Amino acid sequence: MKLIFERSQAGRRASTLPRHDLPVPEVPRELRRAQPPRLPELSEPELVRHFSALAARTFGIDTGFYPLGSCTMKHNPRVNERVVNLPGFRDLHPLQEADGAQGALELMWRLQEILVEISGLHACSLQPAAGSQGELTGLMLMRAYFADRAEERDTVITADTAHGTNPASVTMAGYKLRKVGTDARGNLDLDDLRAKVDERTAGLMLTNPSTLGLFDERIEEVAAIFHDAGALLYYDGANLNAVCGISRPGDMGFDIVHINLHKTFSQPHGGGGPGGGPIVVRETLAPFLPVPAVVRDGERFRLDFDRPKSIGKVRGYTGPFGVFVRSYAYIRSYGPALRQMSEVAVLNANYLLARLRGAYEVPFDRLCMHEFVVSARNLKRAHGVTALDVAKRLMDYGFHPPTIYFPLIVPEALMIEPTETEAKETLDAFAEAMLEIARDAAERRDLLKEAPHGRVVKRLDEVKAARRAIVRYGFERHPDLSQEPSEPRALEVQKGA
Amino acid sequence: MKLIFERSQAGRRASTLPRHDLPVPEVPRELRRAQPPRLPELSEPELVRHFSALAARTFGIDTGFYPLGSCTMKHNPRVNERVVNLPGFRDLHPLQEADGAQGALELMWRLQEILVEISGLHACSLQPAAGSQGELTGLMLMRAYFADRAEERDTVITADTAHGTNPASVTMAGYKLRKVGTDARGNLDLDDLRAKVDERTAGLMLTNPSTLGLFDERIEEVAAIFHDAGALLYYDGANLNAVCGISRPGDMGFDIVHINLHKTFSQPHGGGGPGGGPIVVRETLAPFLPVPAVVRDGERFRLDFDRPKSIGKVRGYTGPFGVFVRSYAYIRSYGPALRQMSEVAVLNANYLLARLRGAYEVPFDRLCMHEFVVSARNLKRAHGVTALDVAKRLMDYGFHPPTIYFPLIVPEALMIEPTETEAKETLDAFAEAMLEIARDAAERRDLLKEAPHGRVVKRLDEVKAARRAIVRYGFERHPDLSQEPSEPRALEVQKGA
Amino acid sequence: MSQLSLTDRDREAMLAAVGVSSVEELFKDIPERVRFDRQLDLEPALSEPELVAHLAELAARNVDTGKELSFLGAGMYDHYVPAVVDAVLSRGEFLTAYTPYQPELSQGILQAIFEYQTAICELTGMDVSNASGYDGATVAADACFVAKHATSGSKIVLCEAVNPQVRQVVKTYAPGFELEVVEVPHRDGVTDPGEVAAASRDAAAVIFQQPNFLGCLEPAPELAAAANEAGALPVAHVDPLSLGVLEAPGNYGCALAIGEGQGAGNSISYGGPHYGFIAARSDLIRRMPGRIVGETTDVDGERGYVLTLQTREQHIRREKATSNITTNQTLLALGGLVYLCWLGPQGLREIGETCLSLAAYAKERLGLPPAFERPTFKEFAVRLDRPAREVIARAREVGVHPGYALGRDYEGMDDALLVCVTEKRTPAEIDRLAEVLAA
Amino acid sequence: MSQLSLTDRDREAMLAAVGVSSVEELFKDIPERVRFDRQLDLEPALSEPELVAHLAELAARNVDTGKELSFLGAGMYDHYVPAVVDAVLSRGEFLTAYTPYQPELSQGILQAIFEYQTAICELTGMDVSNASGYDGATVAADACFVAKHATSGSKIVLCEAVNPQVRQVVKTYAPGFELEVVEVPHRDGVTDPGEVAAASRDAAAVIFQQPNFLGCLEPAPELAAAANEAGALPVAHVDPLSLGVLEAPGNYGCALAIGEGQGAGNSISYGGPHYGFIAARSDLIRRMPGRIVGETTDVDGERGYVLTLQTREQHIRREKATSNITTNQTLLALGGLVYLCWLGPQGLREIGETCLSLAAYAKERLGLPPAFERPTFKEFAVRLDRPAREVIARAREVGVHPGYALGRDYEGMDDALLVCVTEKRTPAEIDRLAEVLAA
Ligand SMILES: Cc1ncc(COP(=O)(O)O)c(C=O)c1O
Ligand SMILES: Cc1ncc(COP(=O)(O)O)c(C=O)c1O
C-alpha cells in the first residue's frame, strides 16, 4: 500500500485554521525557515481512508487472542477511554495552580495509596513513564540511598532470565552488572548467588514470578542474602498480574518495586505505548523519590517540591496522567476483588500449559503463574521446525504469536501469557492450533516454513532491512528495494516481551 | 462467523450496574415477566471482539469509493462527530424548559434560516426524520392547504423516473397516483404532463436534477402548468447536492421542498441511517407546518405550539437534533463557499461520465449534474453480462458498486454518484476498472459472472432468503440452510438509491 | 476546503476531458432565469477550531442532565449508555456505510441487523422485527398502516394514557390512511378493558402503552384480550428496559409490539436521532414496514445475510409498498443491540429491579400524595399543592429538575408532577429531591 | 466481573484439566509466609455508571482550559487537536496493539511509524528519527547518552534558557552517565554563543532550546556552530509548531533535534502521556535509542516494514544497549503523525504565522514592559508591578489565567510573566486579557 507521502498532491490540505488580518512580524532571516518540510498534502477524506486502511492492517487485542508473553495483553475496558477524555482531565494544564487541579491531585494521591497497598510497601511516586524508566529510577534511588549512607557499592545483580531492560538499566544507572544463574526448578541458583553477593553489591533486580512464569520458591532466602549484605532488592513488576492480592513484593522482601500500569492495570498498548511505571518503596527510601511528590494536607492536595534528598525529576511534570486515570478507573472497577483478576490469569495460564504439555517441551515443569514458557526444541530436533515457524503458522489461525526466543536460557522458547480476560473457548482454540502445528511439523513441514499465508506480506527480510537501514521515505530519491535480491530472513531473535 | 447468540455462555456478562439494598416492590403476577429474554451473555472483551469483527466485514466510505447513485456518499467530516457529542447537546432532554435549551433552539433556528436561504423559500420545519417522511409531510401539507381552501383534489403526479418513495408517499398520504413520462432529452414529457394535469390535481412530486442526473431544461414550463391549474409543486431534495448556490428550488417554482440532511449535508449514513428530512415551504403553506415551530423572540428562542392550522406532529419532539448539529456544523464550515461543494460534485460526475462514454451506453447523453446513469445493455446484448455482474466485479477492485437497476426506465442501469469529496486519482482508478470490466465482458466472462472473489461470501441466494424468511435466530430450533439446495441467485432488481 | 480533493491542476485536466472551458459551462442546461445569480447569504466559513468553539458556546447555553439533577423522563430517559456502545458506533465502517444493498461487502452490518432483529423479538416475545423505525412515535403510525391492511377495521383505538407525542403522530397520519382515531380515557391512571372492548368494534388496532405515560402499569393482558375479541390488532407500546421485569407483549396476545429505543442505548440528544422498534407476530411478516434482513447461503453453502422480503418495499413495490421508509435508524438500532448485549438477561432484570426499588424509595421519601393508586415502574405521578410548572421552575433554580408537568397534556392535572427515577439516580440524590420539593 | 470470561462451569473443567482441586492450590509454590492472608484494603468496586460518576466528579474539580481563558504555556500548549486525530487513535486496532514484533500482522502500525519517522525528519531536517521517546524531557537525557558514546566528551553544556523540566531531568540522568552538567546563563533572554564556546571544551553535547523557555529566539545557528567547533554535539530542543516559520535544526548544523510533541497532536492531559521526539544525523543512526522501523521486502519483492537495527536495543544488546526503553509513546506519536498530515506544509506555516501575529498583537495590547527586547514566537515575557503569582491569582478569580510566573524557576524574576498565545486565542480574548491585567 502507498505511503501517505506517495498520496500527497501539492495544493491539497485537510486543515482549516483561524486567520486574522493582523500583521505577521518578520522572523530574522538567519532564523527563518528556508525550505518548507515536505509534509504530505491530502484532504480529510483521503487522510481518514489512509489511516483506516493502516488500522485494518494492524492486529490488536480487539482483533483476536494476543498471548504475547510478558506483555499482559489483557482487554482494555472501554469505559477507561471515556473517563480519560473528560475535559477536566484531558484539557488540564500541568502547571495549573493547585487550587485548580484538586481533582487530578486527589486521583493521583488515591492511586498512590492503592499501589502502596497492592505492593505492600510505603511510599509511591507515579512519575516514571514506563517500566524501564521505573527500573532506572529505582537504581537511582539505590545510588542516592547508599551515597546518603556513604557506602560504596557499584554492582547490581540480575538473573540470567531477566528481561533486557534490567541489564540495560543497570548500565544507564552507572552500575556494574553481575548475572546469576537459574537452578533446575527455575528458581535463582542460591549457591551462585551467595558467591556473587558482597559488600560492593548495591542490590538485586528480580522479576517474581520470573520470566519463566515461575514463582521463586526460596524468595525469602534470596531476600535474606541481600539484606544481610546490606544490599537492596528491586522488584521488576512486569509480572505483577500474577499476584495481586495473593502475594505482595514488600512481603517477599523487596525494597523497591516498579509497576507497569499498562500491563497489570490495563493501559491500551497503543502499538508500543504509552505506559506508566510508578515505583513504590520502603520508608527508608522514601526521601529519595522524585519530585514533586503528590501529598495530602487534610482535605487539600498539593505538589511538594521540598524534598532535599530527592534524586530529582526523571520525567516532565508528574508523569503520564492519562495513564493514571485509566488505571485508577480499572482498579476501582474491581475493588477488593482485584485478587480474582490474578486468580483467573493464573488459572488460564495453567489450563493452557496443561493442554500443551506433551506436544511441546516444558523446560521447568511446575505449576506456572500467569504465563509459562514451552520450547519447540523437540520440533526443531525432529523436523527442523523452529519457534519462529510455529509463531508464523499461528497467524494462519488468526492468533497473534506468543513471545519467542525469550527468556534466553530456554532454546526455541515460546512464552505464552493468555491473561484473565480470555474465554475458555479461545484458550481451547489456541491449544488445538498449537497441537495441530506440532503434528504438521512432521507431516506438512512446508506449510509451517512458508507461513504466514494470505497476509498482506510474507516473511520479511530483516537482514536486508538492517543492512540498508532505510528508515525514512526518500521522496524522488527513495530506493526501490524490490529490485535488490531478498530472502525471507526473519531473524530467530527475541520477538516480544 | 458466529452470531453473537452463538457465542453466548450462561453466566457471563459485560454490564455492571449500581445496586442498592432497598426492597424491590413486587410486580403483580399477571404482569410479571415469566421467562427472561434470551439475550446473549458475553463479557466485554468478547463483545468488543465480536463487533470489531463485524465492522471489519462492513464497507463504508472510510473503506473506499462508494459511488452509490442518489445516496450522496460523501466524506463525513470527523469534527461533526466531535461537536455532536458535546454534553450540552448529547445529554439535553427534549422536554427541558426553553430557558435551559437556548443553545439548542438557537442552533435549530439558525439551521432553518440557512435552509430557507438555500432553497429559496420562506418557512422551514426540521421535524421530519428523513427524506421519505419529508415527502409524506409535504403531501400532508398539500392536503391541509387545499382543505383550508375547500378545494377537492385527489391526485398527485410523479415522474416515471421517480424514486420509489414518491409513489409510496402518495399512497400513504391518501392520494391517487398518476405517472408522467420522460422525453428524449430526459426531461419531463410536457405533452403527457399537460394531458394529465387537471382540477383534481393536487400537485407534482419531482426530483430536479432528476434521478437520471439531468436538470429539467423546461422546469419553468412545468411549474407554470401546475400553478395555472392551481396545483402545487413538491421538490424531492435528494439531489440538492448538485445545485446549492447554483439554482434554488423556490426559484424553479417549487412550493414545498424536503432536504436530505444525510446526503447533501453529510450525516454519516450509519449502515442505513439516521437521516433528517426538513421541509421548506412558501409563505402560503407556512401555517400548516408541523408543531412545534422553533421561533425567535428578540434574543430568546422558544417552541411555538400555537399553530391552529398545523397538520400536527409527524415525529416526536422537534426532530433528529443530533443530525441538525452535524449538518449545521457542516454548512458553517463552508459558509458562502457552499457553491463550491456542488460545483465539484458536478465536475467529478461529468469527468467520470466522460471517461466511461463509449464503453457503456449513455441513454441520455447530455452534461450531467452531480450523478449520471449509464447502461450495461450493450454488454448484456453482446456477452450476457448484466449490470449486476459489473457491480459484483467492481468489488474485486475494492470499490463499492454504484446503484443498479434504477431509475427503472433505463435497462441495466448503473447510477453513479462520485460526490465532491473524491480525488481525481480515485475517479481515474474507478474509470480504469469500469473500462477493464467492459473489455473482460468479452474475453473473461466467467470472471465477471463469478464475481466477487475473495470476499467473506460469494453471491448469496436472495430467492432462498425470501422463500425461507429466516429473519431471527431460532436458538436450538434454528434451521441449517446450508443443507438446502442453493443457487447464486442475486436478484436483478434495484440495489441502491 | 478540507473536504474537497481537487487541485487546480486536477480541475483543468478534468474540464478538458469533459470538453468544457469552465465550471460555469457545466450548468448550461439550467435555464437562465432559474440560475442563482448572487452568493448565498450565509455567515462566513468557520475553521475547525472556530467551529468547535462556536458549537461549544451554543452547547454551553443548554442545561443538560450533567448540569442539573434530573428526574425528568416522560418518554426520554436518562439511562446510562455504556462506553462499548460509543466504541462500536464510532467504528468508521459502521458510521459511514449505507443500507447494505450489496451483501458481499456488508456482511458485518447485515449480521448486526439480524442480531438486532433477534434481540428485539426476544425482548418483546415476537417473531419478526424490522431494522428500525424513526422513533417511538412513528412506529405507532406504522402499526396503524399494518393494521389497516391486515384487518377490515376502519379506526384506531388509542388509549389516552399513551405518550402524547405518540398520539399526536398517530392523529397526523391517520387521515391519509383513511382511519378514524378514537381515544379511550384513563380511569384513575389506567385504561378500562371494558371501555376498550366497547370502542374496538370494527377497529383495526388498539394501541396502549405499558407502563403507560402516567407511570402506571396497565392491565395489559386484558386490554390485548379486549382488542383480540373485537378482531382488532392489539398493539403494545413498551419500554424496552421494563421487559426484564414486565411480561413481553408477545406473551399476552399482542399482534404488534412497538416502542422508543432511546432508553436502551442512545443518548437523549434533545429528542433524536434514536430508533423506534416494531415487532410482530409471524402472520404479519409480509406487511411489515422497512428493511428486514434474512438468512441465506451462497453457492458453497456458506451462511450469509441479505436484505429480504423486499417486495414489501417502496423501491420494488412503489405505490403498493407497506411503507415509504428508506433511510432509517440503523446506527442507533446498532447501539441498541450493543446495549442489550452489554446488559444480557441478568443485567436487564437488574436494571428493572433497580428502577423499581429506587422509584419506590422516592415515593416514600417524597411523601407526596400519589396522583394514582397504582403499581408503577420507574415513573410515578404525585400531586402538589401548587401548579407543577411553578414547582419545577423553583426547583430548577437550585439545580434540581423534579420532573414533568402532566398538566401540559392532561386536563385538570396542573398540580400533577411525573417523577422519573432511572438506575443512574442514587438514594442520596432522591433525598435531595425530597428536600427541594419539601422546601 | 465484566472483564472476566470464565463461567463457573469453565472454572471447574479447567481446574480438573490442570489437576488441582482449587484455585488456591495453583499458588502452592508461593511460600506460606509471603502469601497475602487478608483482603486488599481497597474501596468497594464501582459499577460502570458509578465509576463514570465518580471520575466526572473528580474531573469537575479541575479548572481546565475550557473553564478558564488560558494564556498558560511554558512547555505544554493549548493548541487545537483536530477531530481526525481522535478518530484515528480510537481505532481499536491501533489502540490495542503492542510493539509490532510480528510484522506480517502489523504492517499498518509499522508503516505508520515509518511515516512518523519521515515526518519528524522532514520537520527537523534530520536523517533518522526513532518511534518516540517518553516526553520532551527524557529525550534530552537520551541525547546525552548518544553524545557520551559518540564523542570523547565528559560533560553536557546546558543552556539556562532551556525548559527547567528538561534541565532537571538531564541533571538526574547525568551522574549515571558519568557526565558533568554545566549550565550557561541567559543574557537578557538569550544565550551568548561566546559563553557556549568557552563552556564547550571537552563537552559531549550542547543543549539549547529554540524558541527558548523565556520565549525568545536564540541565535541558534551560532550556538550550533560554537558546539561543533568544540567537537560537542549541538542538540536543539525545538517546538514542532514553530518549524513552519523557524529554520530546521538540521539546516544549521545540529547533530540532534529533540522536542516535546504534545503541542502537535496531543491534548495537554495534565502533562502526559505525550511523545518526545528525537532525530539525528545519519552518522548517529546506530547510537539512536528505542524502536526504529525500516523498509524491506518479502520473498516476492513486496514492500514491507519491520523493526530494525535492533542490535542497538535492550532485548538484543542487554547491558550494551543504547537505551533501556521498551514501551514507548507510539500511540501519541501516531497522533502527531495524523496531526502533521492534517496540517500539511501550508497549515504548518499558517499556524506559525497566526501564533506570531497574535502574540505580536498581545504584546501591543498588553502594553507592559517586555522582560527582554528580543524577537519571539508564540510566548513572550513581560514585567509587572507586582509579583506575577499575585497577578495570576487575581486574574484567575475572574476566569483568566494570564500565564506562567517565571520566578518559579529564575532568580530575580518574580515580577516576570510568561504569556502564551496559540492559534486558539482570538483578538477579543487577548483584549480581555489586557483588560484584566490593566485592572
Ligand atoms: C519482565 C519485564 N521487565 C521490564 C519490562 C519493561 O517495561 P516497559 O516496557 O514498561 O518499559 C518488560 C516489558 O517490556 C518486561 O516484560
Ligand atoms: C431521489 C430520492 N428521493 C427520496 C429518497 C428518500 O430519502 P430518505 O432515504 O432520506 O428517506 C431518496 C433516497 O433514499 C432518493 O434517492
Side-chain angles (χ1 to χ4, degrees), chain A residues 70 130-132 135 163 165-166 207 211 236 238 258 260 262-263 497, chain D residues 98 326-327:
Chain A
S70 208
S132 309
E135 294 175 16
H163 189 270
T165 50
N166 292 186
T207 316
T211 61
D236 173 343
H258 89 247
N260 306 64
H262 46 294
K263 297 179 180 186
Chain D
Y98 189 41
T326 308
T327 295

Side-chain angles (χ1 to χ4, degrees), chain D residues 157-174:
Chain D
V157 175
L158 194 52
C159 298
E160 192 191 7
V162 169
N163 185 334
Q165 301 278 334
V166 176
R167 285 184 287 137
Q168 290 170 55
V169 169
V170 168
K171 291 177 193 164
T172 307
Y173 273 73

Side-chain angles (χ1 to χ4, degrees), chain D residues 25 86 109-110 115 129 213 240 246 249 257 265 277 307 344 371 375 377 400:
Chain D
E25 205 178 327
D86 292 359
I109 187 67
L110 281 160
E115 291 172 348
S129 157
F213 187 72
L246 299 186
F277 58 88
L307 293 173
F377 175 52
V400 177

Side-chain angles (χ1 to χ4, degrees), chain B residues 87 91-101, chain C residues 62-72 78 268 391-403 424-425 429 432-433:
Chain B
D91 302 331
L92 180 62
H93 197 293
L95 298 170
Q96 175 62 291
E97 308 291 320
D99 64 60
Chain C
N62 297 324
V63 181
D64 58 70
T65 56
K67 293 207 196 97
E68 203 169 54
L69 172 55
S70 177
F71 294 86
L72 178 59
D78 182 24
I268 290 186
V391 173
I392 292 167
R394 292 268 301 292
R396 291 192 56 241
E397 284 165 16
V398 294
V400 177
H401 198 311
K424 279 175 77 177
R425 299 285 74 85
E429 290 174 336
R432 167 80 181 136
L433 172 66

